[in-house]
Amino acid sequence: MTGKVLADMLYALGVLSMFLLLGVYIRAKVPLFQKTFIPASVIGGFILLILGPIGLGWLPIPKEWLKLYALIPGILIVPVVASVPLGLKLNAQDKTLRGVIPLFCIGTAVAMAQFALGFGTHIAFKDSFDFYPTFGWELGLGYVGGHGTAGLLGNMLQGMNLSFWETAQGVAVTTATFGLVGGIIIGMILINIAARKGFTQTLQKPGDIPHSFKVGYEKDITKQPSMGRETTLSSSIDAYAFHVAIIMAVCAMAYAALGAVKGANIPVLKDISIWAYCIVIMFVVWWGICKLKIDYLVDGKVKSKVSGSLTEFAVVAAIGSMPVHAVMTYIVPILVMCVLGYMLTMGMLWVLCKKLLRSYWFEQMISVFGMSTGVFLTGVLLLRICDPDFESPVLANYSLAYTLCSVTYFALLALFLTTLLEGGIVSAFYLAIGTTVVPLIAAFVTSRLFVGKA
């Protein structure tokens, strides 16, 4: 690799950054985007898609850059997934954890049910469309995983040399966009209904959303939140760089482990995706950090900023390079499974949370609904509307449930991919049904044990 190649890559990433900044500006100025809370990365990505070679062709962006942009999400999602276990603190004796378990089980059941619905859509339309083997999986990947996980799908399929990886990544970006926008709009409607019917415990009527939430920034310096603790001093190493180094070091160990496994030609293990190795190794690293009693060097908020930064660029790149023409081939089944996905997610969460969660059931439901159709911050946003000052314990419960759901979710993806490619769509459908039923049963059992009879 020459210096010119690296300079071209930096140039391409710089242009990507310009569209991200353009998205920030438009979000701050256009009321429609403020009301729908569409992230700047999504706005910037779609502008790049529309104005670039894939769309109107007004921007002279080289095709080599588009190929790079298509690859970026699959690369950046590796450290994002690797960071999930870092800073995770669980105590089986903690009463907070005991109360979170039913919510975690409900969230996991909904995620698996979305997979089942997507696979069911594939089965229902397979005689009318020439689907690639994994079509339908994108519903759950886009809704629960969000735009960043679209890159993870591309990474897994490309790593197995499957030619349809760009199309699958594009479909996942499409479902993620439907989920994010529709989830926020439906969430707002549900909050208004719940407030009028008296289902909310801290809200009599939907409160005004802070202006800073709408525009995406806070002018008052005294009100700007902290990015986290400086766990290390700059005289040695910057705290942000320290967290990046831990995550990247784990990625390096994961690549080395996968390379060794492939070199030894070990069955099953050689076919597991790189991100799965990252999660396992990060658990071991985090366990070692805790055993050495130096966990004070890791701050969850800083870790989240690292993964968040990478996700922003992954989203812009994934949307900007989306193969529109290939995605449009499947637009009818995509629309069907997205609409049914709204109904399934809303129905399951409303019934289960109302039945199994005694206190603040709606607040917990709406936060998980945001997570199940968008991203973690979507759930925080919807919760903020019906609990403006976070007076309830829901935010803490939701944050921990989200972490547990993420670990479980990513751990199951490799199993689903293997089933799809080796057993076929019907086998994957039955697997999704099974992995929906198990957490459903666990939700009822743990609700009885930890929450009590409704």
Side-chain angles (χ1 to χ4, degrees):
M1 183 177 289
T2 65
K4 184 180 184 305
V5 173
L6 291 174
D8 285 342
M9 290 178 61
L10 182 59
Y11 189 6
L13 290 174
V15 171
L16 206 63
S17 301
M18 293 172 64
F19 282 97
L20 181 56
L21 292 173
L22 181 60
V24 173
Y25 177 80
I26 293 175
R27 164 66 187 269
K29 296 297 182 180
V30 179
L32 174 63
F33 294 130
Q34 294 174 10
K35 292 178 180 178
T36 53
F37 298 95
I38 298 177
S41 56
V42 174
I43 298 171
F46 274 107
I47 293 175
L48 173 58
L49 178 67
I50 294 169
L51 300 182
I54 297 176
L56 299 175
W58 292 354
L59 299 176
I61 295 177
K63 291 184 178 180
E64 291 74 17
W65 287 16
L66 289 180
K67 293 179 181 179
L68 174 64
Y69 292 161
L71 293 171
I72 283 176
I75 299 300
L76 294 186
I77 199 65
V78 174
V80 170
V81 175
S83 70
V84 171
L86 184 63
L88 183 62
K89 294 184 179 181
L90 299 177
N91 183 351
Q93 302 303 318
D94 190 348
K95 291 183 178 180
T96 300
L97 176 60
R98 290 161 61 90
V100 164
I101 292 176
L103 187 62
F104 151 65
C105 293
I106 292 171
T108 303
V110 169
M112 297 302 105
Q114 289 177 352
F115 285 160
L117 176 59
F119 299 147
T121 303
H122 182 138
I123 294 170
F125 283 91
K126 67 179 180 179
D127 293 334
S128 303
F129 291 85
D130 184 20
F131 290 130
Y132 50 88
T134 63
F135 180 86
W137 200 19
E138 297 89 348
L139 177 64
L141 290 171
Y143 270 36
V144 173
H147 290 87
T149 309
L152 176 61
L153 175 61
N155 175 279
M156 290 189 293
L157 299 180
Q158 186 192 22
M160 302 181 77
N161 296 315
L162 297 172
S163 60
F164 55 85
W165 71 270
E166 283 190 83
T167 301
Q169 180 173 286
V171 173
V173 167
T174 304
T175 60
T177 303
F178 274 107
L180 182 66
V181 177
I184 291 174
I185 294 173
I186 294 173
M188 298 287 195
I189 295 173
L190 291 177
I191 290 172
N192 277 276
I193 293 174
R196 288 198 298 269
K197 291 185 174 293
F199 292 148
T200 56
Q201 292 188 228
T202 60
L203 181 69
Q204 299 304 316
K205 62 178 182 179
D208 291 330
I209 302 169
H211 181 69
S212 59
F213 264 61
K214 295 179 179 179
V215 298
Y217 60 85
E218 175 58 68
K219 285 186 177 180
D220 189 344
I221 297 178
T222 62
K223 294 181 180 180
Q224 292 177 349
S226 169
M227 289 180 64
R229 293 182 292 110
E230 287 198 57
T231 59
T232 58
L233 300 181
S234 297
S235 58
S236 172
I237 183 174
D238 178 80
Y240 190 90
F242 177 73
H243 287 73
V244 171
I246 294 176
I247 295 169
M248 293 303 178
V250 166
C251 291
M253 287 186 279
Y255 277 109
L258 181 57
V261 167
K262 287 185 175 181
N265 198 29
I266 300 176
V268 182
L269 293 181
K270 67 178 182 179
D271 297 323
I272 296 176
S273 298
I274 182 63
W275 56 267
Y277 283 88
C278 287
I279 286 184
V280 172
I281 293 174
M282 182 60 86
F283 266 117
V284 175
V285 169
W286 176 237
W287 176 83
I289 290 174
C290 292
K291 281 296 181 182
L292 292 172
K293 297 183 179 179
I294 55 173
D295 52 303
Y296 55 83
L297 292 174
V298 175
D299 180 66
K301 291 181 69 176
V302 176
K303 185 274 299 260
S304 295
K305 294 303 178 184
V306 173
S307 61
S309 300
L310 297 173
T311 302
E312 299 288 3
F313 284 94
V315 171
V316 177
I319 296 176
S321 60
M322 185 169 61
V324 176
H325 297 295
V327 171
M328 289 302 294
T329 303
Y330 308 110
I331 191 62
V332 172
I334 288 174
L335 290 174
V336 169
M337 69 179 180
C338 283
V339 172
L340 293 178
Y342 292 141
M343 298 169 63
L344 174 73
T345 303
M346 179 175 60
M348 284 187 67
L349 286 173
W350 187 283
V351 172
L352 292 173
C353 289
K354 188 174 183 180
K355 182 175 182 62
L356 302 180
L357 305 176
R358 296 186 63 181
S359 60
Y360 300 102
W361 75 265
F362 179 80
E363 287 80 0
Q364 296 189 78
M365 187 280 292
I366 203 65
S367 59
V368 176
F369 177 79
M371 175 192 78
S372 300
T373 54
V375 292
F376 172 77
L377 289 179
T378 309
V380 175
L381 169 68
L382 293 176
L383 176 61
R384 176 74 180 268
I385 296 172
C386 55
D387 185 8
D389 299 317
F390 294 128
E391 299 173 5
S392 70
V394 174
L395 180 60
N397 290 356
Y398 165 59
S399 299
L400 186 51
Y402 169 79
T403 303
L404 294 173
C405 284
S406 296
V407 173
T408 305
Y409 178 85
F410 286 124
L412 289 171
L413 291 186
L415 176 60
F416 274 103
L417 180 58
T418 301
T419 304
L420 279 167
L421 297 179
E422 296 183 3
I425 193 68
V426 175
S427 296
F429 174 74
Y430 285 125
L431 174 61
I433 293 295
T435 51
T436 300
V437 172
V438 171
L440 270 179
I441 294 173
F444 278 89
V445 173
T446 55
S447 174
R448 181 64 63 91
L449 291 175
F450 301 145
V451 179
K453 295 181 178 181

